Amino acid sequence: MKNFLVKSLKIDRSFVRDLANAPIARGIAQPIVVIPHGLNVSTIAEGIETPAQLQ
């Protein structure tokens, strides 16, 4: 992301699907969201259906 002009990042639903039940999925998804946020890049996640997934 450092070498490319990125305005937004889209997260596939495969990363979102198991967030509520799988600590490994949360461990992967968290930096995927945190890094672009720190770079002021908007982030879109597909397939968020529950408050737990949104959190």
Side-chain angles (χ1 to χ4, degrees):
M1 293 182 84
K2 176 183 157 187
N3 296 325
F4 300 100
L5 179 58
V6 177
K7 294 182 181 181
S8 64
L9 176 71
K10 184 176 179 182
I11 301 171
D12 189 75
R13 72 179 65 245
S14 64
F15 287 102
V16 175
R17 186 176 316 140
D18 297 326
L19 289 178
N21 301 322
I24 292 173
R26 284 191 303 272
I28 294 169
Q30 186 175 11
I32 291 173
V33 173
V34 170
I35 291 170
H37 181 75
L39 298 172
N40 201 27
V41 172
S42 67
T43 305
I44 302 164
E46 289 185 332
I48 296 200
E49 299 173 348
T50 68
Q53 290 172 328
L54 180 60
Q55 187 177 13

